[in-house]
Amino acid sequence: MSAAATTALATFPPRCEMDDCCSHKGQELAALALQADQRRVLIVVLVINAVMFLAEFSAGFVARSSALQADAVDMLGDAVVYGLSLFAIGRGTRWEAGAAVAKGVLILVFFVVIVGDIALKIAHGVPPSTRLMLIFGSLALAANLTCLALLWRFRKLNVNMSSTFECSRNDVAANAGVLVAAGAVAWLGAGWPDIAVGLLIALVFLRSAVRVLRNAWPQFRG
């Protein structure tokens, strides 16, 4: 082989190095595509929750329903949660864990707010409007089932998306509780089922906050 040919061959990296490089680039592109998918989904569910918070909280105020207002506050919390998740995407494990910790603290704050509202309703409340509870509870359930379906494939991706999925799953349970409360209030003609379901939603918040913080805090500290 001539010296020129030998020099030309030497300028090309070995085949295994080229394969490794291509593989690495392919993994990077796949990761970027996955992050883009996460962003699109999180933006969609953020908008859904923000709109439903305004509608459901207004309806809960007019209907004097603790369960409906608690569910609406949960919607607001989720909108903030999705915003934190968007911020954490691609910033590394510590940022993702930090976002999850912030979500856990926020959920805990909502638990306290809802319990306070329920205490006021017990002292001064009147039976809520079951018609508004059924209408807006059903709309919220449809919205949250949509969000849950969109987030399903990311539920085990990392602690950030796992905690986000946890929040959305809690919403579906809360929506079902609102519908049950509406039926019970209409059947019994009393307001206590609404208060009971509002309290159950608050306890779901507490359980979720503890679970999210337990999973995220060690990663954040580490």
Side-chain angles (χ1 to χ4, degrees):
M1 182 180 294
S2 67
T6 303
T7 303
L9 287 174
T11 60
F12 291 94
R15 177 60 181 271
C16 61
E17 290 183 10
M18 294 177 64
D19 289 345
D20 287 345
C21 181
C22 292
S23 176
H24 183 64
K25 289 293 184 183
Q27 291 172 1
E28 286 183 351
L29 290 173
L32 289 173
L34 183 60
Q35 289 180 11
D37 286 344
Q38 290 178 66
R39 289 185 187 278
R40 280 193 293 268
V41 167
L42 287 171
I43 289 171
V44 170
V45 295
L46 189 157
V47 171
I48 290 173
N49 277 267
V51 171
M52 282 307 303
F53 161 71
L54 295 173
E56 195 176 17
F57 191 83
S58 300
F61 181 78
V62 173
R64 303 178 303 277
S65 169
S66 292
L68 208 54
Q69 285 181 305
D71 195 36
V73 170
D74 190 25
M75 289 281 197
L76 174 62
D78 283 348
V80 176
V81 162
Y82 299 142
L84 287 171
S85 298
L86 273 169
F87 181 76
I89 288 176
R91 294 178 180 268
T93 303
R94 184 173 173 80
W95 278 97
E96 291 170 352
V101 169
K103 295 171 200 175
V105 172
L106 185 65
I107 295 169
L108 199 57
V109 170
F110 287 146
F111 162 76
V112 175
V113 170
I114 292 170
V115 169
D117 179 71
I118 289 170
L120 290 174
K121 288 286 176 29
I122 291 173
H124 309 291
V126 294
S129 168
T130 55
R131 182 180 180 183
L132 287 175
M133 289 178 69
L134 286 170
I135 292 172
F136 283 90
S138 299
L139 287 174
L141 179 61
N144 279 316
L145 284 173
T146 301
C147 293
L148 196 69
L150 289 170
L151 292 166
W152 179 262
R153 66 191 179 104
F154 301 116
R155 68 192 187 281
K156 296 181 180 179
L157 183 64
N158 53 47
V159 68
N160 180 35
M161 296 304 294
S162 176
S163 61
T164 300
F165 181 79
E166 172 96 8
C167 294
S168 187
R169 185 175 57 188
N170 288 344
D171 285 348
V172 172
N175 299 148
V178 170
L179 297 178
V180 170
V185 169
W187 182 43
L188 298 173
W192 67 262
D194 174 65
I195 292 173
V197 169
L199 183 59
L200 283 174
I201 293 173
L203 291 176
V204 169
F205 282 0
L206 179 61
R207 173 179 172 273
S208 180
V210 171
R211 178 182 294 181
V212 170
L213 289 171
R214 183 186 296 136
N215 290 336
W217 185 249
Q219 293 189 38
F220 181 70
R221 287 292 301 273

